[in-house]
Amino acid sequence: MKENMILELKNITVSFDGETVLDNLNLSIRDGEFVTFLGASGCGKTTTLRVIAGFITPDSGDVFFDGGRINDLPPYKRQVNTIFQRYALFPHLNVFDNVAFGLKVAGMKKEEIRPKVEEMLELVNMKAFAHRKIHTLSGGQQQRVAIARALVNSPRILLLDEPLAALDYKLRKDMQNELRRIQRATGITFIFVTHDQEEALSMSDTVVVMNEGKIQQIGSPTDIYNEPQNAFVADFIGESNIIDGVMLEDYKVRLDGRDFECLDKGFAPKEPVDVVIRPEDVDIVPLEKGKLEGEVTAITFKGDYYEMIVDVCGFKWMVQATDETKVGTKVGLIIEPDAIHIMKKSKYSGMFGDYSTFSDEMDQMDAEEEALEQMEESDNA
């Protein structure tokens, strides 16, 4: 067992009805860490959580807790508790008794239960609600009760399966801060599942980006955002312009027929690469001052900035700026060396980064409409 590692997953494979859901997954998690599994629906993140909890036995591979293999250990014997999106609170019990329930089942004495429950209710700011019925509580208050109930028996790991999904935006923001505060106060390892990129970046020590049953990248929120390892991660974490490029030599890349200085090295001379440039790192300047030239084709007001689509040689760039540039304006674009990130080509190259549309669904609809038009033209001919 690696130093300070509380949990290790080694070569975990899980299949359902012949379809691989987790594909030889390997992951190590440190004690006291806030880890987030991030990915779209069906990527395998919840299945991974259920393997850790013991609700699913992997087809192959091993789960290690504190150095010991726990594949055959049933869920109730693992030092792990889970909070699901539906909190599964007991409606016939009040807040205090919901939190105390697990301790009573474990046979703890009444005089020992009360201080533990009160401590947990104070931790989640629900002590004043101890005698309230569950149906009288708001969604955020119910979630706090669920957290207290999950923590009262002192698990080593708390698993949270999209617990904020049902809350409104402002309450989600509050609960994000609360979960982070509670995790720091208890020192318990939190493993959180979400498909919300902002949620993952704002809460986590470590983000695990998943797709198609595989881990695409593991790193700090800063690393994941600033140093994505492939086009999928770059596109999934925030907005990204991902352009085909050629690495001419160390610190120099060519894209759209122009040479740019960058901070990357270690690529083969003239190696094809993916070039990632975040929308906020592109500067719009007068046409004659730009390194690249394009035309603004769309603009959206986002409150504190404008989001513009700029057509550069047929490739639709996204640019974010505080000043508005009208649709139809010819503009120049400038990109500084530290705004350019170079990635090796991958299976995801060419799939993301052009803002002709914002979703795969729209791309598919456009392709089907184009195919239909071609069929109609063929029939007419």
Side-chain angles (χ1 to χ4, degrees), residues 72-171:
D72 302 321
L73 198 66
Y76 69 92
K77 289 189 175 181
R78 300 190 182 196
Q79 293 179 280
V80 175
N81 273 351
T82 305
I83 298 176
F84 299 100
Q85 187 173 332
R86 295 181 178 180
Y87 310 135
L89 299 173
F90 300 115
H92 62 290
L93 299 179
N94 63 22
V95 168
F96 185 97
D97 290 334
N98 260 277
V99 177
F101 181 81
L103 301 180
K104 291 178 180 178
V105 170
M108 185 175 288
K109 295 179 180 179
K110 187 175 181 179
E111 58 269 23
E112 295 174 338
I113 290 175
R114 177 165 293 279
K116 287 184 71 68
V117 172
E118 289 178 347
E119 180 187 0
M120 284 301 107
L121 290 178
E122 187 170 359
L123 178 68
V124 299
N125 295 322
M126 289 292 290
K127 196 170 182 179
F129 296 79
H131 301 293
R132 293 276 190 93
K133 291 293 185 180
I134 295 301
H135 68 84
T136 68
L137 304 179
S138 68
Q141 290 167 343
Q142 289 185 25
Q143 185 181 67
R144 291 170 187 269
V145 177
I147 293 168
R149 187 178 66 179
L151 294 177
V152 74
N153 63 345
S154 302
R156 296 285 305 283
I157 296 176
L158 182 63
L159 308 177
L160 303 104
D161 190 4
E162 302 206 52
L164 309 184
L167 305 180
D168 64 47
Y169 177 76
K170 288 188 176 181
L171 187 52

Side-chain angles (χ1 to χ4, degrees), residues 111-363:
E111 58 269 23
E112 295 174 338
I113 290 175
R114 177 165 293 279
K116 287 184 71 68
V117 172
E118 289 178 347
E119 180 187 0
M120 284 301 107
L121 290 178
E122 187 170 359
L123 178 68
V124 299
N125 295 322
M126 289 292 290
K127 196 170 182 179
F129 296 79
H131 301 293
R132 293 276 190 93
K133 291 293 185 180
I134 295 301
H135 68 84
T136 68
L137 304 179
S138 68
Q141 290 167 343
Q142 289 185 25
Q143 185 181 67
R144 291 170 187 269
V145 177
I147 293 168
R149 187 178 66 179
L151 294 177
V152 74
N153 63 345
S154 302
R156 296 285 305 283
I157 296 176
L158 182 63
L159 308 177
L160 303 104
D161 190 4
E162 302 206 52
L164 309 184
L167 305 180
D168 64 47
Y169 177 76
K170 288 188 176 181
L171 187 52
R172 284 184 74 165
K173 300 293 287 185
D174 285 340
M175 288 310 302
Q176 287 170 16
N177 292 331
E178 281 294 279
L179 283 174
R180 193 66 177 118
R181 178 188 65 80
I182 292 167
Q183 192 272 329
R184 286 173 173 165
T186 61
I188 292 171
T189 303
F190 276 30
I191 303 177
F192 187 90
V193 162
T194 185
H195 60 270
D196 186 306
Q197 300 92 327
E198 181 185 349
E199 202 164 75
L201 295 177
S202 64
M203 297 173 66
S204 315
D205 298 314
T206 300
V207 178
V208 180
V209 184
M210 299 181 65
N211 189 48
E212 298 178 327
K214 295 183 178 181
I215 293 174
Q216 301 297 319
Q217 186 170 348
I218 303 172
S220 69
T222 304
D223 289 341
I224 293 288
Y225 187 82
N226 291 329
E227 301 290 333
Q229 291 181 356
N230 61 41
F232 174 83
V233 177
D235 179 76
F236 196 77
I237 306 295
E239 306 290 356
S240 296
N241 301 292
I242 308 173
I243 306 102
D244 289 331
V246 176
M247 200 69 181
L248 300 176
E249 58 187 56
D250 286 350
Y251 313 116
K252 184 175 289 187
V253 65
R254 176 171 293 166
L255 58 98
D256 283 335
R258 300 295 181 93
D259 296 349
F260 288 81
E261 300 295 326
C262 65
L263 304 182
D264 296 89
K265 62 179 182 177
F267 295 84
K270 297 185 178 180
E271 179 179 346
V273 293
D274 287 334
V275 183
V276 179
I277 302 167
R278 297 289 185 181
E280 66 270 22
D281 293 330
V282 183
D283 293 323
I284 291 180
V285 297
L287 185 63
E288 66 277 6
K289 294 184 178 180
K291 191 75 174 281
L292 298 174
E293 300 174 356
E295 179 180 340
V296 178
T297 60
I299 183 168
T300 304
F301 180 57
K302 291 289 188 175
D304 55 350
Y305 67 92
Y306 292 92
E307 185 176 87
M308 289 163 279
I309 304 301
V310 180
D311 188 324
V312 179
C313 300
F315 186 95
K316 304 298 193 299
W317 287 61
M318 178 185 284
V319 181
Q320 295 171 349
T322 54
D323 296 323
E324 179 183 11
T325 303
K326 300 294 185 182
V327 171
T329 305
K330 303 281 187 180
V331 297
L333 302 181
I334 290 179
I335 303 136
E336 297 296 332
D338 61 355
I340 297 172
H341 173 62
I342 309 298
M343 303 183 304
K344 286 189 172 293
K345 289 288 184 181
S346 71
K347 64 178 287 187
Y348 300 107
S349 297
M351 297 173 61
F352 306 103
D354 182 313
Y355 284 93
S356 300
T357 60
F358 288 83
S359 71
D360 294 339
E361 182 178 346
M362 285 299 297
D363 288 337

Side-chain angles (χ1 to χ4, degrees), residues 27-46:
L27 177 66
S28 298
I29 293 176
R30 290 187 293 272
D31 194 12
E33 193 174 19
F34 195 124
V35 178
T36 297
F37 295 165
L38 175 64
S41 298
C43 73
K45 56 188 187 295
T46 294

